[in-house]
Amino acid sequence: MFVSDFRKEFYELVQSQRVLLFVASDVDALCACKILQALFQCDHVQYTLVPVSGWQELETAYLEHKEQFRYFILINCGANVDLLDILQPDGDAVFFVCDTHRPVNVVNVYNDTQIKLLIKQDDDLEVPAYEDLFKDEEEDEEHSGNDSDGSEPSEKRIRLEEEIVEQTMRRRQRREWEARRRDILFDYEQYEYHGTSSAIVMFDLAWMLSKDLNDMLWWAIVGLTDQWLQDRITQMKYVTDVGILQRHVSRHNHRNEDEENTLSVDCTRISFELPLKQVKQKFQSMDISLKENLREMIEESANKFGMKDMRIQTFSIHFGFKHKFLASDVVFATMSLMESPEKDGSGTDHFIQALDSLSRNNLDKLYLGLELAKKQLQATQQTIASCLCTNLVISQGPFLYCSLMEGTPDVRLFSKPVSLSLLSRHLLKAFVYSTKNRRCKLLPLVMAAPLSVEQGTVTMVGIPPETDSSDRKNFFGRAFEKAAESTNSRTLHNHFDLSVIELKTEDRSKFLDALISLLS
């Protein structure tokens, strides 16, 4: 069920309890976690934090800890599946789910006892009505005549015929209702998309509790920026949420709580033609003429390459006089730390390092993340150029397809879901701008990259078409499930984003054939 009063129905309930936090491996989830951790620290709430990168880790972690806790909080995982069916919890377990994944599973919506959804209801949820999905069990037993009622045989026969007709009508109505239910669920569940940032939801809670601090507001900004950079929300949604956060920024900056840590609105940076010698310097050291004419040069370069809407509102933060960061840079740095290809630590170690980099007293980790992010973005640019120059993006009919081969430079950087998804989105945009085929400009993209040579697996993602009117809804999640089911392909649907799967390399051909047939 949806929680209407976050303070009474959530925070005050867990405030006196020991809770378990399950946090997904994405930047928005980390930011929401940081805000909740700060609130818990203020009120001395005991909690245990467990990072989870997929459904298997969530199930394993729950089985390991379920005896020690009654209250569980899930951040950016759990809303879009039947959580009770997956975890099979005891009857007294309560799950608070703060998740951006849509659509929300209908069982989670209408469960009043164990599932509590920390989701903004002003999002366009479009949940079907209860009576269209659930029906009270009716007695369908065959009613035989009662021989002891003293009725004549003819009356019994008439009554039996009427009961048969009535039962037939009930069965027909039941079949019609079930057919309508399947159609309603198909329409509701066929597209995957995202709602309001979990970090913003948690910041709203902090604001409601009058405990919102500058750091919390910054984390909310970073969480929203993560959604924008990954194309998880529309531009209209982004601009609306930026406006809301800007009002909070103005309010916080007027407090003058800490003059060395202020937030401000800025404009994003883009690539354009500049002398290489100038580009390699820090901005402060560049020629003053270039710095003064920066905006004009950006707009001129954008027009030259036919790029629209290059200017977008974002935020920056100052830590003292030396350290200034854009929200987008922090997103890339945190993401790079979390999906680091280095094998010097486990996934949990990378998660903790990424989480720590969001704190102002761990700027060394943030700078490390920025260096990793630079390498990641350089590899992304080079890989896109290589794919376009060698015509690796091919049309499969209803979608475009690109596969990175083992041995491709920097291919190991793109074995992780978020990195591969970002590469796929940028590749699709570049392909749409460069191709002369009008039909291909309207197609979605399926991309695969090697995951494990030893196990013979690839990571595969599906990206919706790149159009101006795109609503950021992705249909590949359900399509992948049906294609795998119809061909018995060995797939693993472990990621919280349904449009990301793991696939056996040997089954790739038949899987793609089924996907082509399904989407044609």
Side-chain angles (χ1 to χ4, degrees):
M1 63 172 284
F2 292 110
V3 173
S4 55
D5 189 332
F6 283 22
R7 181 205 293 263
K8 291 183 179 179
E9 298 176 47
F10 165 56
Y11 195 74
E12 290 181 359
L13 193 61
V14 302
Q15 196 171 359
S16 59
Q17 305 290 332
R18 186 163 171 257
V19 297
L20 182 62
L21 269 173
F22 291 122
V23 183
S25 298
D26 67 74
V27 178
D28 179 44
L30 262 66
C31 292
C33 176
K34 290 292 289 185
I35 295 172
L36 197 56
Q37 282 182 308
L39 288 175
F40 283 172
Q41 186 174 0
C42 286
D43 295 310
H44 307 290
V45 179
Q46 293 185 342
Y47 69 93
T48 297
L49 171 61
V50 179
V52 288
S53 61
W55 297 115
Q56 288 184 340
E57 286 191 7
L58 178 61
E59 291 180 55
T60 303
Y62 174 73
L63 289 174
E64 183 180 344
H65 296 91
K66 67 176 184 178
E67 302 298 334
Q68 307 166 40
F69 300 89
R70 183 189 173 196
Y71 294 101
F72 303 86
I73 301 173
L74 288 78
I75 301 181
N76 278 2
C77 56
N80 57 342
V81 297
D82 185 350
L83 199 57
L84 299 184
D85 182 57
I86 287 180
L87 299 181
Q88 298 291 320
D90 297 332
D92 62 342
V94 179
F95 299 89
F96 294 96
V97 182
C98 181
D99 191 1
T100 68
H101 292 94
R102 307 287 185 270
V104 181
N105 185 274
V106 293
V107 176
N108 294 339
V109 172
Y110 292 112
N111 184 292
D112 294 334
T113 54
Q114 292 187 271
I115 305 294
K116 311 292 184 181
L117 298 170
L118 306 175
I119 290 175
K120 277 195 165 187
Q121 294 187 56
D122 54 359
D123 282 353
D124 190 13
L125 297 172
E126 299 180 350
V127 180
Y130 179 87
E131 56 270 16
D132 291 333
L133 301 174
F134 303 99
K135 205 176 181 97
D136 294 333
E137 291 296 325
E138 297 179 356
E139 294 183 4
D140 292 327
E141 298 178 358
E142 296 291 339
H143 297 288
S144 58
N146 190 346
D147 293 336
S148 62
D149 62 0
S151 302
E152 294 294 329
S154 59
E155 295 177 358
K156 292 180 181 179
R157 185 166 58 253
I158 293 172
R159 190 162 60 247
L160 181 60
E161 291 174 354
E162 291 175 348
E163 289 177 355
I164 292 173
V165 171
E166 184 181 347
Q167 290 166 6
T168 303
M169 288 296 294
R170 278 205 302 266
R171 291 194 190 101
R172 181 182 301 170
Q173 291 171 356
R174 181 77 181 185
R175 285 195 299 270
E176 291 174 353
W177 178 84
E178 289 175 350
R180 283 197 308 273
R181 181 181 188 274
R182 283 194 297 270
D183 292 341
I184 290 171
L185 279 178
F186 177 79
D187 291 339
Y188 176 65
E189 295 178 342
Q190 64 175 325
Y191 293 109
E192 180 186 17
Y193 60 104
H194 289 263
T196 299
S197 157
S198 292
I200 289 181
V201 172
M202 286 298 151
F203 177 77
D204 283 347
L205 172 64
W207 180 43
M208 193 185 309
L209 297 169
S210 299
K211 296 177 181 177
D212 53 314
L213 304 173
N214 253 5
D215 283 346
M216 295 181 183
L217 178 54
W218 175 244
W219 293 325
I221 288 168
V222 174
L224 173 63
T225 307
D226 174 55
Q227 284 194 310
W228 170 248
L229 291 176
Q230 295 197 57
D231 276 348
R232 290 183 168 177
I233 53 176
T234 63
Q235 182 167 352
M236 181 63 71
K237 172 67 173 170
Y238 174 75
V239 171
T240 301
D241 287 348
V242 162
I244 294 171
L245 290 176
Q246 176 55 33
R247 289 194 288 273
H248 286 294
V249 168
S250 300
R251 180 173 55 85
H252 274 248
N253 285 344
H254 285 145
R255 287 180 181 176
N256 291 322
E257 290 179 334
D258 189 346
E259 294 181 358
E260 292 187 351
N261 297 281
T262 60
L263 294 161
S264 62
V265 185
D266 208 339
C267 286
T268 55
R269 295 166 293 174
I270 65 167
S271 298
F272 52 95
E273 295 180 0
L274 273 178
L276 186 61
K277 183 179 179 180
Q278 295 291 329
V279 172
K280 289 187 175 181
Q281 299 184 69
K282 290 187 176 182
F283 181 76
Q284 294 88 339
S285 304
M286 291 171 62
D287 287 349
I288 189 169
S289 60
L290 293 176
K291 291 192 287 185
E292 289 177 347
N293 299 317
L294 186 60
R295 178 172 295 181
E296 290 76 13
M297 295 181 70
I298 290 175
E299 293 176 348
E300 182 181 344
S301 296
N303 293 330
K304 179 180 177 181
F305 292 102
M307 303 174 78
K308 303 176 182 177
D309 301 325
M310 291 304 299
R311 293 171 60 187
I312 189 77
Q313 275 193 315
T314 185
F315 297 86
S316 61
I317 193 169
H318 288 268
F319 292 130
F321 297 101
K322 182 180 179 181
H323 309 286
K324 179 181 179 180
F325 303 98
L326 272 181
S328 54
D329 291 343
V330 174
V331 170
F332 284 123
T334 307
M335 191 187 304
S336 298
L337 288 170
M338 193 157 41
E339 291 203 337
S340 171
E342 303 299 329
K343 297 183 178 180
D344 56 350
S346 63
T348 301
D349 293 333
H350 292 155
F351 178 96
I352 297 300
Q353 189 175 34
L355 190 68
D356 288 344
S357 72
L358 292 169
S359 299
R360 70 173 75 179
N361 56 351
N362 286 315
L363 294 182
D364 55 332
K365 293 182 180 179
L366 181 56
Y367 279 112
L368 173 62
L370 287 172
E371 293 304 315
L372 291 175
K374 291 177 186 177
K375 295 178 182 178
Q376 182 83 37
L377 291 174
Q378 288 173 353
T380 299
Q381 184 272 327
Q382 292 166 2
T383 303
I384 290 173
S386 175
C387 290
L388 295 179
C389 291
T390 55
N391 296 319
L392 283 182
V393 182
I394 57 176
S395 174
Q396 293 282 15
F399 59 87
L400 302 170
Y401 177 69
C402 180
S403 176
L404 299 181
M405 305 303 294
E406 185 63 39
T408 303
D410 300 313
V411 71
R412 66 192 182 98
L413 295 175
F414 305 110
S415 62
K416 300 294 180 66
V418 176
S419 301
L420 182 59
S421 296
L422 277 174
L423 171 66
S424 304
R425 288 187 176 89
H426 290 306
L427 175 60
L428 181 58
K429 290 178 181 178
F431 180 82
V432 166
Y433 276 114
S434 63
T435 186
K436 296 180 181 179
N437 189 320
R438 291 184 179 180
R439 183 177 177 276
C440 287
K441 290 177 180 287
L442 303 175
L443 295 179
L445 172 68
V446 174
M447 191 164 189
L451 176 61
S452 171
V453 179
E454 295 78 12
Q455 298 179 10
T457 56
V458 296
T459 301
M460 185 172 286
V461 301
I463 304 297
E466 179 62 31
T467 60
D468 292 337
S469 59
S470 175
D471 56 7
R472 302 298 187 263
K473 291 188 176 181
N474 195 328
F475 56 83
F476 275 111
R478 302 302 175 190
F480 283 169
E481 288 180 2
K482 290 184 179 296
E485 184 180 347
S486 64
T487 57
N488 291 322
S489 298
R490 289 164 291 178
T491 58
L492 181 61
H493 303 261
N494 184 48
H495 201 262
F496 298 127
D497 286 325
L498 303 180
S499 56
V500 180
I501 63 169
E502 296 175 20
L503 174 70
K504 279 287 186 181
T505 308
E506 300 169 356
D507 295 339
R508 178 160 40 180
S509 295
K510 65 178 183 180
F511 177 84
L512 289 174
D513 289 341
L515 196 60
I516 292 170
S517 175
L518 187 66
L519 299 178
S520 296

